[in-house]
């Protein structure tokens, strides 16, 4: 028994038009503006005050140290994490994780950071070092 197949012509793509009222457009514009203003406020808040390195274990703040000026002694801090102790060194070059019990050592290989907004994370050990304060930020956004 033969079956009949019906061939359909290929669908042609229709241009997409956005529909909405003036109120919809005004709400969208207001939302985007609010997000931009909030972003600028957060950036200015992060860059205010003296440059400091904040050390976290999970969500718990363990310590906050000012970044030393040239000639001042380095600060050594042992952060106790999930896997063991991560040694953090804060000196005139910035903050870095000098030693950690994690297997990949990405946190150690990342080197020193001193710009506002920089972060060093040892994910397996749940240790985070965040640079906050008046140090100049190098980037305003990164996209991949």
């Amino acid at each position: 028994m033969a079956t009949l197949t019906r061939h359909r012509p290929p669908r042609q793509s229709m241009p997409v038009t956005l529909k909405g009222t003036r109120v919809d457009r005004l709400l969208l514009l207001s939302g985007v503006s609010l997000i931009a203003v909030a972003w600028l406020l957060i950036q200015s808040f992060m860059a205010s005050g003296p440059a400091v390195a904040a050390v976290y274990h999970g969500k718990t703040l363990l310590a906050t140290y000012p970044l030393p000026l040239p000639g001042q002694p380095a600060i050594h801090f042992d952060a106790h994490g999930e896997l063991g102790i991560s040694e953090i060194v804060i000196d005139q070059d910035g903050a870095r994780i000098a030693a950690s019990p994690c297997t990949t050592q990405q946190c150690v290989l990342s080197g020193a950071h001193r710009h506002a907004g920089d972060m060093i994370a040892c994910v397996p050990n749940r240790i985070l070092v965040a640079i906050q304060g008046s140090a100049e930020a190098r980037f305003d956004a990164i996209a991949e």
Side-chain angles (χ1 to χ4, degrees), residues 12-18:
Q12 295 188 8
S13 62
M14 299 287 291
V16 177
T17 58
L18 300 175

Side-chain angles (χ1 to χ4, degrees), residues 37-55:
V37 168
W39 175 263
L40 291 174
L41 286 174
I42 290 170
Q43 290 297 320
S44 67
F45 176 73
M46 283 183 61
S48 65
V52 296
V55 181

Side-chain angles (χ1 to χ4, degrees), residues 61-115:
L61 178 65
L62 299 177
T64 303
Y65 294 105
L67 294 181
L69 297 173
Q72 291 180 332
I75 299 166
H76 294 270
F77 179 75
D78 290 336
H80 297 272
E82 301 293 316
L83 301 176
I85 296 174
S86 291
E87 180 187 349
I88 299 167
V89 176
I90 304 167
D91 57 15
Q92 61 270 7
D93 293 331
R96 62 187 167 88
I97 297 179
S100 187
C102 60
T103 57
T104 61
Q105 299 290 302
Q106 292 297 317
C107 55
V108 175
L109 296 174
S110 71
H113 298 269
R114 71 172 302 108
H115 299 285

